[in-house]
Amino acid sequence: MLSELFPNVKMEDIWTAIGETFYMTLISLAGTVVLGILLGLLLFLTAKGGLWQNKILNFLAAGLVNIFRAIPFIILILLLFPFTDFLIGTIRGPKAALPALIIGSAPFYARLVEIGLKEVDKGVVEAAKAMGAKTHTIIFKVLIPESIPALVSGITVTAIALIGYTAVAGVIGAGGLGDFAYFYGFQRHDFDVVFVCTVLIVIIVFIFQFIGDYIANKLDKR
């Protein structure tokens, strides 16, 4: 039945593409979370009234984040070709997409981290300071634990954005469902392949959204 509806779809190849999409999404998400939290903390702590208030450092960090957020992802991939080739040894395949995926999404997540940290009750931070808590204690015992639900929600939003980025990266040969839809569907005018890839990407997005929402609700103690 399915072979009649989608005659050009080869399930072995589809499973490979799904695996590549998950690989790119999960590995780049891990890198994005680490880099995004570091950047978000830097933005928050160096802002006016922050624990490390520093106008120049905050300006530089904010500028860096804003620049990379402003660059369209497809252009960022092209700009990073030399760096990717140096780091990975190739500009094609799922591994080659990782640097652009991380660099492209980390600034986005950094802003979400900054917003989450700003939602933490200032009274809790002031109480910790009054008790003589050091900066690293306030960060790891107060700020991050108190903002965990917001950070998890931010991870969910970022993961969904990354799934879209992997599809875009597929156009330049990164692999995954985007690659499969473009090269084996669109270019061959086999639109049943494009349709199946689109449905699978939507399903993957729903899976990430459901898991993210479930975890965030479990962690939210309000």
Side-chain angles (χ1 to χ4, degrees):
M1 182 66 178
L2 287 175
S3 59
E4 293 177 4
L5 287 173
F6 311 111
N8 301 299
V9 176
K10 297 180 180 179
M11 287 311 298
E12 316 88 67
D13 296 333
I14 286 289
W15 282 116
T16 300
I18 291 173
E20 290 173 344
T21 295
F22 271 105
Y23 170 82
M24 287 188 285
T25 302
L26 294 174
I27 299 298
S28 60
L29 182 61
T32 295
V33 168
V34 173
L35 187 56
I37 287 176
L38 292 175
L39 282 171
L41 280 169
L42 184 63
L43 288 168
F44 176 76
L45 295 173
T46 59
K48 186 177 180 181
L51 297 174
W52 296 343
Q53 182 174 325
N54 188 312
K55 191 174 182 180
I56 295 175
L57 189 56
N58 184 262
F59 175 80
L60 292 174
L64 184 68
V65 166
N66 290 337
I67 287 170
F68 278 98
R69 284 180 67 204
I71 302 173
F73 184 67
I74 189 67
I75 296 176
L76 181 64
I77 294 175
L78 301 177
L79 286 173
L80 290 174
F81 267 177
F83 175 71
T84 300
D85 192 31
F86 169 77
L87 190 66
I88 307 296
T90 180
I91 58 172
R92 296 181 66 85
K95 285 185 180 179
L98 296 178
L101 289 169
I102 293 171
I103 293 172
S105 56
F108 173 74
Y109 183 59
R111 284 298 187 189
L112 297 179
V113 171
E114 182 188 19
I115 292 169
L117 293 172
K118 285 180 178 179
E119 292 177 355
V120 175
D121 187 351
K122 291 183 179 179
V124 178
V125 178
E126 291 300 324
K129 288 167 67 176
M131 293 171 64
K134 295 181 179 179
T135 301
H136 67 85
T137 303
I138 294 174
I139 292 172
F140 293 107
K141 297 292 186 181
V142 179
L143 289 173
I144 291 180
E146 288 291 324
S147 60
I148 279 291
L151 298 184
V152 171
S153 294
I155 290 173
T156 304
V157 173
T158 305
I160 291 169
L162 275 168
I163 294 168
Y165 286 168
T166 64
V168 174
V171 176
I172 51 92
L177 288 167
D179 180 293
F180 197 80
Y182 182 73
F183 288 104
Y184 295 92
F186 177 76
Q187 288 199 340
R188 296 181 180 181
H189 297 282
D190 293 336
F191 290 101
D192 56 332
V193 174
V194 177
F195 176 77
V196 169
C197 289
T198 303
V199 170
L200 288 171
I201 288 172
V202 171
I203 290 172
I204 292 171
V205 166
F206 283 165
I207 291 171
F208 274 84
Q209 186 71 61
F210 175 78
I211 294 173
D213 289 346
Y214 178 80
I215 295 173
N217 289 333
K218 284 291 184 181
L219 292 172
D220 195 347
K221 299 175 183 177
R222 289 173 296 180

